[in-house]
Amino acid sequence: MDFTATLTDAEIRTLSDCNLAIHDAIRCFSQSMAGYNSRNESDFEKSFRLKNTIDVFEKRARVEPNAQALAVLMNCEYLLWLLNKDTPQKQNPFLSHWVEAIQRLDATGGQHESNGVAKNDLSADKISAARVLWIKMLLQGEDVKYLLDQTSQQASISLLSDGLREPFDLRPYVRMLEDEGIYEKTPEPDTNGHAAPTQSQNGVDTLHRHTSAKKTIDSTEDLIQQRKADILRNLELDTDTAIFEITRLPISLTYLDFLTTLLTDRTLETHSIDPAPIITQYIQHALRTIERMGKPPAPSDDGEVLEYGKEAQTRHILLLLLFIKSLIRKGLVEMDTLYYEIAEISVRYVWIKEVRDFRNWAEEGIER
């Protein structure tokens, strides 16, 4: 699988046809995919090509807003939803795409009000506004049949004129991503106006209940060893806390080696814990941490100041790749288990040479 693949020129021509109603564009698109279908392309692979194409045309629409870009974006978003609509939203691999698109577009013009989209009056803001309304409508399950009979431009006029039938609240979708460990949980104030304890704080409280009074820890090495010992102890006493601590371990060789040892020694299985979702959660959390390194420095949830910049991101991604490759080579985790995480790394950090090499290695493994 090529994690950077987009739609073919023929497919894009079909979806950019401004004269086709949305349902006609979808039908023609399905027919044009015969070449890919002959290679048994999965729905995920189709979806990934659609998502990559959306990313390309979002950038194009900012520079050169036109009816063709609008058509591609509207049609691709609908196709992406259509291919994944039977997957529960909480487990939908493209939920983060839609949530982030809403956040991004609302912040950069998605709230734009308009009485319509005249043929020669397309702007980047209007395209963003129509697209974000389209995504919201699809996510909350509104009836879109009447829009499918219209061209993308006509549908945009309807969306911008009529808006949504029901108010849209993004928070439930963000919470889904938080529950899945894709986003960090956001503390909410309690009734007394104090910040609610985070899961990390609750975990520490539980940990303290099961740990005798500790001596002062003077060195980093002592702290690391103590943290490992606490996890092993809590595997016996408090499994939930142990799992939380494992999936939030820092991205460092010391802790990656510790994780590998837990898997090699089958420590998790000994305590009736399936290691696959634990490793998946750890990698997802690590990816969110590395993603935050691309932004200005800020304290993390545990008070630790994150490193910042491309160099820090590169260094931590290389550690993560080393860890993933080691697990797969040792047979401690199947490549299919980390399919989506490998895909994210391969696309988001394609500018790192080692990531491109890793992608080639992973593709060979998947094809076998």
Side-chain angles (χ1 to χ4, degrees), residues 224-235:
I224 291 172
Q225 295 305 321
Q226 184 65 60
R227 190 169 188 175
K228 292 180 183 178
D230 288 339
I231 288 173
L232 293 174
R233 184 181 300 108
N234 276 283
L235 282 171

Side-chain angles (χ1 to χ4, degrees), residues 26-250:
I26 302 308
R27 177 177 52 79
C28 293
F29 173 82
S30 299
Q31 294 172 352
S32 72
M33 293 187 71
Y36 269 87
N37 288 338
S38 65
R39 289 161 42 185
N40 297 318
E41 186 183 38
S42 68
D43 283 349
F44 176 75
E45 290 172 303
K46 295 173 191 173
S47 297
F48 218 86
R49 291 200 297 124
L50 286 164
K51 191 264 182 195
N52 289 340
T53 302
I54 289 170
D55 292 342
V56 170
F57 274 83
E58 179 179 324
K59 293 176 183 176
R60 288 188 189 178
R62 292 195 203 111
V63 178
E64 188 179 354
N66 54 49
Q68 289 73 30
L70 171 67
V72 171
L73 289 168
M74 294 282 288
N75 289 328
C76 282
E77 291 289 11
Y78 181 69
L79 275 164
L80 187 60
W81 174 82
L82 199 63
L83 284 171
N84 296 277
K85 66 182 178 65
D86 294 329
T87 303
Q89 284 187 329
K90 195 171 184 178
Q91 284 82 45
N92 194 315
F94 297 95
L95 178 60
S96 61
H97 158 74
W98 289 310
V99 167
E100 290 166 14
I102 291 170
Q103 292 171 327
R104 184 172 61 253
L105 297 176
D106 273 348
T108 59
Q111 301 284 9
H112 184 86
E113 296 293 335
S114 173
N115 292 323
V117 183
K119 186 172 183 180
N120 297 316
D121 190 30
L122 272 177
S123 67
D125 279 357
K126 287 180 180 178
I127 290 176
S128 293
R131 181 181 160 209
V132 78
L133 287 169
W134 187 227
I135 293 172
K136 289 176 179 178
M137 182 175 277
L138 293 171
L139 274 183
Q140 63 185 13
E142 291 193 20
D143 185 5
V144 299
K145 290 180 181 178
Y146 75 101
L147 292 172
L148 299 180
D149 292 328
Q150 304 176 25
T151 66
S152 56
Q153 202 161 354
Q154 291 168 340
S156 297
I157 293 173
S158 298
L159 285 166
L160 293 171
S161 299
D162 303 336
L164 300 173
R165 295 175 180 174
E166 299 291 336
F168 183 84
D169 186 356
L170 186 62
R171 288 173 297 181
Y173 303 97
V174 173
R175 281 196 290 270
M176 290 180 194
L177 294 171
E178 290 175 345
D179 291 343
E180 290 299 297
I182 296 173
Y183 284 1
E184 287 293 309
K185 284 190 177 292
T186 304
E188 296 182 1
D190 61 18
T191 54
N192 295 321
H194 300 294
T198 63
Q199 187 174 358
S200 177
Q201 290 169 333
N202 288 334
V204 171
D205 290 341
T206 306
L207 182 62
H208 287 170
R209 287 198 298 271
H210 296 293
T211 307
S212 59
K214 297 179 181 179
K215 297 180 180 179
T216 303
I217 301 174
D218 297 319
S219 69
T220 301
E221 182 59 26
D222 287 340
L223 181 60
I224 291 172
Q225 295 305 321
Q226 184 65 60
R227 190 169 188 175
K228 292 180 183 178
D230 288 339
I231 288 173
L232 293 174
R233 184 181 300 108
N234 276 283
L235 282 171
E236 298 283 350
L237 302 174
D238 188 345
T239 303
D240 289 342
T241 296
I243 290 174
F244 179 81
E245 290 294 321
I246 290 171
T247 57
R248 264 62 178 177
L249 285 172

